[in-house]
Amino acid sequence: LTRRLIQHGHQAYIVGGALRDALLGSEPKDWDVATDAGPDTIHHLFHDLTRFDLKHGTVTLVYQRRHYEVTAFKGKTGLGRSIEEDLSHRDFTFNAMAYDTTDGKIIDPLNGKSDITGKVVRAVLNPSERFQEDPLRMMRAIRFAEELGYSVDPKTLGAVGPLAHAIEGVAPERIRDELLKILSVRRPSKGFTLMRKTGLLKRILPELLEGYRKRQNKFHRYTIYRHIMETVDSVEPDPVLRLSALFHDIAKPRVRKKANGRWRFLGHAGASVALTKQIMTRLRF
């Protein structure tokens, strides 16, 4: 694909997750090509391949039963932009590298390789600007950290709280998919803790926080939220099992009543079923 673009006078680089995965020693899963060619040109040059458009500026090509996303350079100056400008508008430094297939060199103006070595999730240049461009990146930062066993750069994490409200403008389907990815990591509770502390969880799953209470005095109170998190961590990372664990007691705080000095949760199973349906409908499951 890159060879054909280059032969017709265009720039073309492998970018994104495939390059990151290769540097991590993993099998690349998602293949992306960045080019100075626009969508119409891409359609013309690859008229012999099955192709479709799902995202603005991106053409998905099907070659040997694999999907490849070919995207025009990102930037503010129209076609003719550079790969360096494109990389400066990507989400995190380890996703802001490009592989030049003509000479085998990696273009890394934002020190993505260094952050891979240091195991840091760092937003490109200005975290607030990157999150405003796409608020889902706030969830992605937390997901990458838990998926890879990295820490989140303090400046990057600090930008999440003031912008947490912006996640409400993201399509529910995208939030759903990112939530499932966080639920698939080894210990989802760590990701949920970061989402809770940054204010994201309040915007995404406020029902879950109804079962959270801060500890009082020096004794740690065993809360419904903590119980749910321990349950999520303890089941195998199957999406249905993890979702079941996440929602199994979701309505307990709503039916909690004290009788004879003890808390009772009468009817919480049925209430949790009804609340789970509401949440999953809202997130377009």
Side-chain angles (χ1 to χ4, degrees):
L1 301 179
T2 57
R3 187 182 303 118
R4 187 181 296 188
L5 284 161
I6 292 167
Q7 286 173 347
H8 285 82
H10 295 285
Q11 300 177 56
Y13 304 89
I14 295 171
V15 294
L19 182 53
R20 180 195 69 238
D21 290 344
L23 290 171
L24 287 168
S26 304
E27 183 72 22
K29 296 179 285 292
D30 301 315
W31 288 91
D32 298 278
V33 173
T35 177
D36 60 349
D40 291 342
T41 302
I42 296 168
H43 277 285
H44 174 70
L45 291 179
F46 297 98
H47 60 87
D48 55 326
L49 298 183
T50 299
R51 59 202 183 280
F52 49 90
D53 300 54
L54 292 177
K55 294 186 289 186
H56 178 69
T58 297
V59 180
T60 301
L61 302 176
V62 183
Y63 178 64
Q64 295 182 350
R65 297 185 179 183
R66 187 190 288 269
H67 287 188
Y68 298 84
E69 291 193 353
V70 183
T71 306
F73 287 159
K74 297 178 175 67
K76 299 179 181 179
T77 56
L79 292 179
R81 310 168 186 133
S82 66
I83 184 61
E84 288 79 10
E85 184 181 2
D86 174 274
L87 297 177
S88 72
H89 286 274
R90 293 184 176 267
D91 52 5
F92 306 109
T93 55
F94 52 50
N95 289 334
M97 298 178 285
Y99 180 74
D100 189 337
T101 58
T102 62
D103 59 14
K105 291 182 179 179
I106 293 175
I107 300 169
D108 183 18
L110 297 156
N111 301 313
K113 284 200 292 185
S114 176
D115 282 339
I116 287 177
T117 302
K119 297 187 175 182
V120 177
V121 178
R122 190 189 312 274
V124 166
L125 298 177
N126 187 319
S128 295
E129 289 182 4
R130 300 292 80 77
F131 294 155
Q132 286 171 1
E133 288 170 350
D134 182 1
L136 189 70
R137 289 172 172 174
M138 294 184 285
M139 287 186 72
R140 282 168 57 83
I142 291 170
R143 188 255 297 177
F144 276 127
E146 301 312 317
E147 208 170 57
L148 300 172
Y150 286 13
S151 62
V152 182
D153 163 62
K155 186 178 177 181
T156 300
L157 190 62
V160 176
L163 292 170
H165 65 278
I167 199 74
E168 295 178 351
V170 175
E173 296 87 345
R174 298 183 69 213
I175 293 175
R176 173 202 65 207
D177 292 347
E178 204 60 43
L179 181 65
L180 284 171
K181 290 176 182 177
I182 292 173
L183 280 170
S184 71
V185 304
R186 191 173 68 86
R187 287 189 61 200
S189 63
K190 294 175 66 179
F192 276 83
T193 295
L194 280 177
M195 288 197 291
R196 176 177 58 78
K197 289 181 176 180
T198 56
L200 284 174
L201 194 59
K202 181 180 178 180
R203 308 286 179 170
I204 298 164
L205 279 175
E207 298 87 353
L208 195 58
L209 290 177
E210 292 176 19
Y212 177 81
R213 289 173 293 165
K214 293 181 179 179
R215 64 183 182 178
Q216 296 181 355
N217 302 322
K218 64 180 180 179
F219 299 104
H220 185 82
R221 299 183 63 137
Y222 191 80
T223 65
I224 297 168
Y225 173 86
R226 181 182 168 190
H227 162 67
I228 289 174
M229 289 295 100
E230 289 181 353
T231 307
V232 170
D233 284 348
S234 69
V235 300
E236 60 188 87
D238 173 87
V240 174
L241 291 180
R242 286 277 170 89
L243 283 168
S244 299
L246 184 68
F247 294 136
H248 81 285
D249 273 347
I250 193 73
K252 255 189 174 181
R254 299 189 176 192
V255 298
R256 179 171 50 196
K257 292 181 180 179
K258 206 166 190 177
N260 299 323
R262 297 185 63 184
W263 287 108
R264 305 287 183 180
F265 304 96
L266 299 177
H268 78 274
S272 292
V273 169
L275 186 55
T276 297
K277 185 173 182 179
Q278 290 178 28
I279 295 169
M280 296 187 76
T281 300
R282 182 177 78 224
L283 292 176
R284 306 290 193 270
F285 276 88

